[in-house]
Amino acid sequence: MSHPTIPSAPRLLLMAPEDNCLIARTPLAAGEALEIDGAPVTLPENVPLGYKVARRALKTGDKVLRYGAIIGTVTADVPPGAMLHTHNLVSDYIPTYTLVSDAHSFIGSTH
Amino acid sequence: MSNATLPALSGYLRADGRKGIRNVVAVAYTVECAHHVARLIVNAFPGQEVHLIGFPGCYPNDYADRMMRRLATHPNVGATLIVSLGCESFNRRGLEEEVAASGRPVHTITIQQNRGTRSSVADGVEWVRWARETLDTQQRVPMRLDELVVATICGGSDSTSGITANPAVGVAFDQLVAAGAACIFEETGELVGCEFHMKRRAATPELGEAIVACVNKAAHYYTVLGHGSFAPGNADGGLTTLEEKSLGAYAKSGASPISGILKPGDVPETGGLYLLDVVPDGEVRFGFPNISDNAEIVELIACGAHVTLFTTGRGSVVGSAIAPVIKVCANPDTYERLSEDMDVNAGRILTGAASLAQVGGEIVDLVAQVANGAQSCSEALGHQEFILTYKQFEASGPGCFPLKAA
């Protein structure tokens, strides 16, 4: 597995050259202007530390690559700079269980 | 990153030739009904190396029997007190015989034959005091790095775990393996999606096939249970899927060739990198393979691990009975919140304050210091968590140990 490298945008980490997601090295605020692969992107939402954003436009059914490996499938079209998480990315193996408010629920489904 | 400056180690020599980095008196209850008495005995020795272990079940279980034997004769254990109620199924006589045959002081208190709680506690305290005094006269002897077994586990992972703490432990593992130590990584249920990467690192083709089969078994087991090894806090920390968590967890293993697969209680006979298969064999029964992190730490210790490197992003605070746990904190924010529980701040890799190689080197140095007697944070705070539940395993196949010592 390759070690992390810092890409052109210093606040986003690219884990492997072929990845189509980037990792926030610090918390990022909605409206912040960043550059991803030389193109300007305005963040549509807050991105907490360690969360993923799309490196390029992704379409429903696309696989997301992190560390150069597939980490799941996109369930909605995602513009560059938008966050990738349980609302638009699901496991290809076992559904992700998470707590929503005080109610237990399953988010996502297997493919 | 240099292998030249690894410090000299020392440990307590046991009759089987292994060496321990601690000299613990283990107090072992053999059914939940004896737990309270055993705990009261341990509580009489605050801040001393007297640790509580045990098995709560009344029904017999070969796995639990083997685990208790391995733990009671672990190199970090110098003496064992067995606390039995009297009518449970656990083979306390077999455990006592195995500990005695290992050259360690051992004694059994059977509550039903010992006038009940107060008398049993008093007798237990008296025996442990004697055992403690005996062990305290033992001297440490020189210990080589190739006599050391180091384990790693991740708990409370978040998205930073796979960027900072896990690859830093991987760097440390590569140095330790190169120096001859045995290193164990784990959780086949958290390596779903990594099986073909691991297969390429296997020492033999047969082992490669065994690794793939082992992860498939884990994926099947968790699928039947309807719940992967993924907690809500993982998602709060930015991890989205099990395979994303797996890839981050996998970084703990470093880049050394994989020398074998262990099942709980298998002790590696030579140095090298080993995968611990924690998922039971056969049909799905007894529930989740490991109900929480400490169940897995106990299995790593039963494989002979002297010390466990615990990476965490969300911020676990646990330690363990018998073998020290070193916390490597992945997330710089978590480190700020929980610094009193954290040994290493790997979040510095994310903020640019340290390199992966630097933190990897720090971890190796800390392993040596803790091996030589320095307390880890969880140890100094008195953490001695322990869990052992029901499981079923078949014996490891021949493909799992391609590098057995001659």
Side-chain angles (χ1 to χ4, degrees):
Chain A
M1 194 172 302
S2 59
H3 288 154
T5 54
I6 298 170
S8 53
R11 282 174 296 171
L12 295 171
L13 268 180
L14 179 66
M15 302 302 296
E18 61 269 45
D19 286 1
N20 54 13
C21 71
L22 299 163
I23 316 298
R25 290 180 71 207
T26 61
L28 303 172
E32 275 197 56
L34 295 175
E35 227 177 56
I36 296 178
D37 296 332
V41 170
T42 302
L43 290 182
E45 61 214 311
N46 292 331
V47 182
L49 170 78
Y51 279 53
K52 296 170 289 298
V53 300
R55 183 181 179 191
R56 56 181 72 104
L58 300 172
K59 290 199 164 13
T60 302
D62 282 354
K63 301 295 181 188
V64 173
L65 277 85
R66 175 178 180 172
Y67 309 109
I70 293 168
I71 61 165
T73 302
V74 170
T75 57
D77 292 352
V78 182
M83 201 155 71
L84 286 163
H85 202 27
T86 47
H87 61 292
N88 57 10
L89 173 60
V90 295
S91 172
D92 292 338
Y93 287 84
I94 299 171
T96 296
Y97 169 81
T98 185
L99 299 172
V100 177
S101 307
D102 293 320
H104 293 195
S105 66
F106 283 92
I107 293 199
S109 61
T110 49
H111 284 248
Chain B
M1 169 176 14
S2 158
N3 295 342
T5 56
L6 292 174
L9 303 181
S10 67
Y12 299 95
L13 179 62
R14 309 301 179 194
D16 64 2
R18 291 192 289 169
K19 288 166 188 164
I21 63 167
R22 294 291 182 270
N23 213 3
V24 171
V25 178
V27 178
Y29 58 91
T30 53
V31 64
E32 180 61 20
C33 320
H35 188 161
H36 179 69
V37 167
R39 182 172 50 221
L40 288 179
I41 295 167
V42 170
N43 285 354
F45 299 89
Q48 298 185 52
E49 285 186 307
V50 179
H51 293 183
L52 184 63
I53 66 173
F55 179 62
C58 190
Y59 297 90
N61 182 249
D62 289 343
Y63 157 83
D65 191 73
R66 182 170 195 244
M67 287 286 291
M68 289 291 282
R69 288 169 186 242
R70 289 289 186 273
L71 294 163
T73 58
H74 186 280
N76 287 0
V77 171
T80 299
L81 174 68
I82 299 165
V83 184
S84 164
L85 176 64
C87 48
E88 72 271 23
S89 302
F90 193 92
N91 183 1
R92 62 181 180 275
R93 177 67 65 84
L95 178 62
E96 185 183 77
E97 285 169 358
E98 182 142 346
V99 177
S102 79
R104 290 169 173 82
V106 61
H107 179 61
T108 300
I109 290 174
T110 304
I111 298 167
Q112 288 167 348
Q113 296 163 15
N114 203 55
R115 306 179 310 283
T117 298
R118 269 194 201 89
S119 298
S120 298
V121 171
D123 290 356
V125 167
E126 189 182 352
W127 191 85
V128 170
R129 189 169 290 130
W130 168 82
R132 200 55 275 159
E133 283 168 8
T134 304
L135 297 188
D136 287 344
T137 65
Q138 294 176 354
Q139 300 297 312
R140 294 177 82 106
V141 299
M143 180 175 175
R144 299 186 313 270
L145 258 165
D146 64 10
E147 297 175 300
L148 188 68
V149 183
V150 182
T152 189
I153 178 176
C154 41
S157 295
D158 71 12
S159 179
T160 66
S161 299
I163 303 172
T164 61
N166 292 350
V169 165
V171 168
F173 259 32
D174 287 345
Q175 289 187 33
L176 290 164
V177 167
C183 290
I184 311 172
F185 70 110
E186 44 65 56
E187 235 313 28
T188 42
E190 290 169 3
L191 292 167
V192 170
C194 306
E195 56 271 27
F196 293 101
H197 299 262
M198 285 195 285
K199 181 183 176 182
R200 287 200 292 272
R201 293 170 57 193
T204 66
E206 294 75 22
L207 178 62
E209 293 304 326
I211 288 171
V212 172
C214 178
V215 175
N216 286 342
K217 177 180 72 166
H220 169 73
Y221 213 93
Y222 281 101
T223 301
V224 170
L225 292 168
H227 200 313
S229 182
F230 194 103
N234 297 142
D236 292 341
L239 290 171
T240 309
T241 64
L242 179 61
E243 50 269 46
E244 182 184 16
K245 179 179 173 181
S246 295
L247 288 160
Y250 178 51
K252 299 196 300 304
S253 67
S256 307
I258 299 173
S259 300
I261 301 173
L262 306 173
K263 290 183 181 179
D266 291 340
V267 177
E269 295 192 9
T270 65
L273 178 66
Y274 295 85
L275 170 63
L276 174 63
D277 176 10
V278 304
V279 175
D281 295 313
E283 64 184 87
V284 178
R285 60 176 68 163
F286 302 138
F288 288 101
N290 282 334
I291 58 173
S292 55
D293 294 326
N294 277 98
E296 213 154 285
I297 293 174
V298 167
E299 290 182 335
L300 290 162
I301 294 170
C303 294
H306 293 93
V307 57
T308 300
L309 300 172
F310 190 125
T311 66
T312 185
R314 304 293 291 170
S316 172
V317 301
V318 303
S320 179
I322 294 182
V325 171
I326 293 174
K327 288 287 172 19
V328 183
C329 187
N331 185 316
D333 293 347
T334 303
Y335 184 84
E336 288 306 315
R337 279 197 303 279
L338 295 175
S339 58
E340 68 181 38
D341 288 278
M342 300 298 156
D343 295 283
V344 176
N345 179 7
R348 285 148 58 227
I349 295 166
L350 205 61
T351 59
S355 69
L356 205 52
Q358 280 171 330
V359 176
E362 274 174 40
I363 294 169
V364 172
D365 288 344
L366 193 55
V367 165
Q369 288 167 24
V370 168
N372 284 334
Q375 285 193 316
S376 70
C377 288
S378 54
E379 222 179 352
L381 290 162
H383 283 282
Q384 292 176 14
E385 288 84 349
F386 184 92
I387 303 175
L388 181 59
T389 59
Y390 284 91
K391 275 193 185 184
Q392 174 172 290
F393 281 96
E394 292 157 12
S396 292
C400 295
F401 296 109
L403 301 180
K404 244 187 173 88

